[in-house]
Amino acid sequence: MTIDVRPKTDRGFFAEIYGANLKDCSDADFAIIKDAHLSHGVIAIRDQDLTPAQQISFSKRFGPLSIHVLEEQLLAGHPEILLVTNKKENGRFLGIPDLGRKWHTDQSYEERPALGSLLYALEVPEDGSGDTWFADMTAAYEALPAEERRRLDEFEAEHRYDHKHKNFELSDNQIDRLPGVLHPLVRTHPETGRKALYLGVQLVKRIVGLAADESDRLLADLHTHCTKPEFVYCHKWRKGDLVFWDNRCTMHAAQPYDDTRFTRHMHRTTVIGDQPC
Ligand code: OGA
Ligand code: MN
C-alpha cells in the first residue's frame, strides 16, 4: 500500500497520512513521513495499532527520546512514554488528565526543548470531544510587517515550568530540575531554515529587557495574533491516530471534554531537539 499524504489547509499546514504501517516502516516510507512532518508542521498518521515498544522504536528514528521530569506520570516499564490520560487506578490518575490546556510548545522550559512529540490515541471520548488545536507559528511570523519582524528578531523570552498542578504536586527535586531558561522569541528551524515565533501562554513569563507591563502586553498581542483562525487547525481524534507535531514551529492546546463521562487515553513519546537559535 502506498502512503497517502493529505494536507488539510490551503497553506499546507497539517496533513493526515493514510496507508502507513508504523510497526514495520521501510526506509522509503520513513523518508516520506519525515518529509511530510517538515513540510506540514503536524501530521496525523491514521489507523495505527502500536504497542508501547513499537511506538518507542518508531519515535527513536527521529532522534533520542526524552524522559519527562514528571516520573510518576510515565508508563511502567517504558519511561519514554508519558501518560496523557484521565484513567484512574486506586482513586489516582494514571497520568496527566489535563495536559496542555493552554497554548504551548512542549518542554520549552528546557535548554533543549522537544523537537517533536508523538501522541498516540488508544481511547478517545465517544462524543467526539477532546480535540487538539495546532497553530502555525511560521505563517504567523511571516504575516507580520517586516519592521515588526525585525524588532521581534532581537528579543529573548524567559520560559519556566508552572510548578502548580491541580492533580498532583511536584517534589523539591523536580522543582530544582525546572529552573527556567531564556530562548529567542523568534527561532530559526534547524532543518527548514524558516523563522517562527516561539511562544507559549503559561510557560513564557516575560520578554527580557522590557518593563513588565510592556512585556505582558506584547506577549498577549502575539498570542492573539498567532491563534487567529487563519493560523489554527483543529484535529479531531480517532482511536489509532498517531499525531506528530514539530514543536519548533507550532503551538498546540488541548480542548476540554467531559472527563466524568468519557475516557481519553494517550501515550506520548518526545524527541529531544536542539537549543533554539
Ligand atoms: C501534549 C499535549 C494535548 C492533548 O501531549 O503535549 O499538549 O490534546 N497534549 O492531549
Ligand atoms: Mn503539549
Side-chain angles (χ1 to χ4, degrees), residues 26-243:
S26 66
D27 287 346
D29 284 356
F30 181 75
I32 295 172
I33 292 171
K34 189 169 161 128
D35 188 58
H37 182 246
L38 288 176
S39 325
H40 303 288
V42 190
I43 50 177
I45 307 169
R46 299 284 203 180
D47 307 314
Q48 299 306 304
D49 177 16
L50 298 171
T51 63
Q54 287 164 339
Q55 181 178 346
I56 291 167
S57 104
F58 175 72
S59 305
K60 274 188 178 159
R61 293 174 78 170
F62 295 95
L65 303 186
S66 93
I67 310 285
H68 204 278
V69 63
L70 301 175
E71 59 262 283
E72 270 116 57
Q73 330 295 336
L74 305 177
L75 181 66
H78 293 287
E80 299 90 343
I81 289 187
L82 178 68
L83 287 162
V84 180
T85 182
N86 65 328
K87 275 196 184 175
K88 283 186 172 174
E89 213 173 70
N90 305 323
R92 174 189 166 274
F93 285 114
L94 278 181
I96 310 173
D98 56 356
L99 185 66
R101 289 283 161 88
K102 298 219 164 106
W103 284 104
H104 67 284
T105 149
D106 292 332
Q107 291 165 220
S108 71
Y109 45 81
E110 293 184 351
E111 245 168 65
R112 290 183 59 192
L115 174 160
S117 308
L118 301 97
L119 191 61
Y120 175 55
L122 291 117
E123 280 181 66
V124 298
E126 282 139 34
D127 68 341
S129 61
D131 303 338
T132 309
W133 290 356
F134 292 92
D136 180 348
M137 303 300 274
T138 310
Y141 174 76
E142 289 174 356
L144 292 169
E147 201 178 313
E148 175 75 350
R149 292 202 303 266
R150 273 196 294 278
R151 184 171 91 96
L152 298 179
D153 283 350
E154 302 304 316
F155 285 126
E156 279 191 318
E158 182 187 353
H159 295 237
R160 191 155 25 85
Y161 191 79
D162 242 309
H163 296 156
K164 290 198 194 64
H165 273 277
K166 208 166 68 210
N167 295 301
F168 51 89
E169 276 183 30
L170 295 187
S171 66
D172 289 346
N173 174 284
Q174 284 170 323
I175 290 173
D176 288 348
R177 278 152 60 204
L178 295 163
V181 65
L182 300 184
H183 290 310
L185 189 65
V186 176
R187 64 180 294 185
T188 303
H189 195 291
E191 292 178 83
T192 67
R194 293 175 80 185
K195 287 184 179 178
L197 287 159
Y198 196 55
L199 287 165
V201 168
Q202 219 162 354
L203 300 176
V204 180
K205 302 299 177 191
R206 67 188 175 99
I207 297 179
V208 179
L210 294 186
D213 58 342
E214 210 186 330
S215 166
D216 289 350
R217 208 167 35 240
L218 179 55
L219 286 171
D221 287 350
L222 287 174
H223 284 122
T224 303
H225 169 71
C226 296
T227 56
K228 283 184 196 153
E230 67 213 79
F231 304 126
V232 171
Y233 180 78
C234 167
H235 177 63
K236 299 206 87 61
W237 288 89
R238 293 199 318 225
K239 177 175 160 21
D241 284 351
L242 181 85
V243 177

